[in-house]
Amino acid sequence: MLDHVQLAAPKNSEAQARAFYAGLLHMKEVEKPVGVRASGGVWFESHAAALHIGIEEPFRPATKAHPGLTFARLDEVASRLQSAGYPVQFDDRLAPRRRFFTDDPFGNRVECIEQTLPTLVPNRLTHGSHVRLLAPASSLASVSVKIVDDAIRVLESLGLHVSISQHARSLNPFGSSDPADRLEDLHTAFADPTVDAILCVRGGFSSNELLDDLNYDLIRQNPKILCGFSDITALSHAIFTKTGLITYSGPMLRALASRDAYTLTSFRTMLFDGETAIKPSQNWQDDFEGKEMTHANPGHVILSSGLAEGRLLGGNLCTLNLLQGTSYFPDLRDTILFLEDDYEVHPATFARDFASLMAQPGADQIRGIVFGRFQLATQMTDEHLRYLVDLYPALSSIPVISGADFGHTMPLFTFPIGGQATIKDDIISISH
């Protein structure tokens, strides 16, 4: 694994290096170890990238070899550089990824790359749109025939045409189908021009098995809606990270079959219209110790107040964490995270998973957090979440909300992964 990149600079140039790399590129200066301070120079880091500027005499700039640095907002970086007198040259040879070249104060070449691909928004659903039911995680064979039939009737009542993928009911020893079958179903659905949307039939396990062999070029060239939650979180974020295609965290067959008005209204509004303000439901339900329990909804709970705008990421926390250390993990900078988990977690395991997320590059630039409602079996409370938020001082300056209507309780709203979110006090708005 690469530890750092070294660039050279002339003697007594540390102030110029700081003005360029910290002042204009917003990299963080880090203290040099005692053993190498006498040699001069200055070290920087940003989003897991480490850059060391060393003093070299005689000095010769690197005009071909260069570092490539990623930025969440490339145009803002270009504007700062140009205003400071540093020309930038955009280069489209790696399209759709955006990048430009510039020179630092010493003539060293620097490449600046936009971390996130240009966003692709799939076409909205309309009356007559074709929805393909697909099982990229656990098999449709584990869903009762009644739930499948009821969900299909609900989708048809919205004016949608429904089909089922070829291998949706196949089974392997782990409750999914073989990865090759699931990949074939995904590739077939994305390549089929008559399919407008892919609705995942359930969560469960193992959608992350598919990520290395997905044809991301095919997906980017044939953008369409993909909707699901829970284990689908891994698939959704990999697709967004590798293609820029917005995906959706939303109801699957069991939730659709319930015919819950709040859930269906949000599903229809997001996938047919595209934007909405999130209003808390009046009541919520959860299965606890074999009984379905209904509770009055007290609404969103403000754990930390504030105003924020950012790119919306998130879903099932422990599944999102499966992507850490891979090229599928999303850029956390300038994001608003929607996080939930199911009955298998308890306060200590959720705190551990959250700590792992907050240790990732870019977590210090998260703009807001929304926690979905926890199932009763988790025994998570707002007091647990308040304590957790207090452990991270940076969270006190951004809005953090709990009790939102998404996750493994009912009802749940649909939201776009890769879309935009705004938080003002306890009001959440989403669009794409």
Side-chain angles (χ1 to χ4, degrees), residues 374-396:
F374 287 87
Q375 292 181 270
L376 296 170
T378 67
Q379 300 184 27
M380 282 288 291
T381 66
D382 288 326
E383 286 69 30
H384 286 119
L385 291 174
R386 288 186 192 280
Y387 179 85
L388 193 59
V389 169
D390 287 343
L391 290 179
Y392 302 91
L395 299 185
S396 65

Side-chain angles (χ1 to χ4, degrees), residues 210-223:
L210 311 181
L211 306 185
D212 285 347
D213 294 316
L214 269 179
N215 186 336
Y216 296 101
D217 288 337
L218 171 69
I219 293 171
R220 182 169 180 84
Q221 292 162 11
N222 299 274

Side-chain angles (χ1 to χ4, degrees), residues 109-323:
R109 193 183 199 201
V110 178
E111 181 178 357
C112 299
I113 310 164
E114 191 153 49
Q115 175 68 22
T116 303
L117 289 170
T119 300
L120 284 174
V121 181
N123 291 333
R124 310 275 195 259
L125 295 179
T126 61
H127 185 85
S129 291
H130 178 187
V131 175
R132 174 69 51 84
L133 302 184
L134 201 144
S138 294
S139 173
L140 181 59
S142 61
V143 183
S144 74
V145 173
K146 183 179 186 307
I147 287 176
V148 175
D149 290 344
D150 287 350
I152 289 175
R153 280 192 285 271
V154 168
L155 292 168
E156 290 175 342
S157 74
L158 298 177
L160 302 172
H161 169 64
V162 181
S163 65
I164 300 176
S165 62
Q166 179 182 355
H167 303 290
R169 290 189 172 90
S170 298
L171 272 172
N172 68 13
F174 300 103
S176 302
S177 62
D178 289 344
D181 289 341
R182 286 177 277 157
L183 285 164
E184 181 181 338
D185 282 354
L186 277 165
H187 292 156
T188 298
F190 273 105
D192 188 341
T194 71
V195 173
D196 301 298
I198 297 167
L199 178 63
C200 300
V201 298
R202 62 156 298 174
F205 299 96
S206 302
S207 70
N208 64 319
E209 291 177 340
L210 311 181
L211 306 185
D212 285 347
D213 294 316
L214 269 179
N215 186 336
Y216 296 101
D217 288 337
L218 171 69
I219 293 171
R220 182 169 180 84
Q221 292 162 11
N222 299 274
K224 56 191 65 178
I225 289 169
L226 182 139
C227 182
F229 74 104
S230 193
D231 191 73
I232 308 303
T233 299
L235 179 65
S236 295
H237 285 78
I239 289 175
F240 174 69
T241 300
K242 290 295 187 180
T243 71
L245 176 64
I246 286 177
T247 59
Y248 299 87
S249 177
M252 297 182 285
L253 296 190
R254 186 178 298 276
L256 291 172
S258 73
R259 295 182 178 271
D260 176 80
Y262 179 100
T263 300
L264 292 179
T265 297
S266 176
F267 178 79
R268 184 172 56 245
T269 300
M270 182 52 55
L271 297 186
F272 283 75
D273 300 327
E275 58 183 73
T276 186
I278 302 302
K279 297 181 179 179
S281 61
Q282 292 185 339
N283 300 288
W284 64 275
Q285 298 84 39
D286 186 26
D287 291 328
F288 183 62
E289 297 181 345
K291 299 179 181 179
E292 183 174 292
M293 305 183 69
T294 300
H295 306 263
N297 188 2
H300 298 155
V301 176
I302 300 176
L303 303 176
S304 178
S305 61
L307 172 67
E309 297 181 12
R311 188 175 65 258
L312 195 167
L313 298 176
N316 186 255
L317 175 58
C318 66
T319 304
L320 180 62
N321 280 352
L322 294 176
L323 303 182

Side-chain angles (χ1 to χ4, degrees), residues 81-82 85-89 100-103:
L81 288 168
Q82 290 172 321
Y86 293 94
V88 303
Q89 180 181 358
F100 66 77
F101 293 96
T102 191
D103 290 339

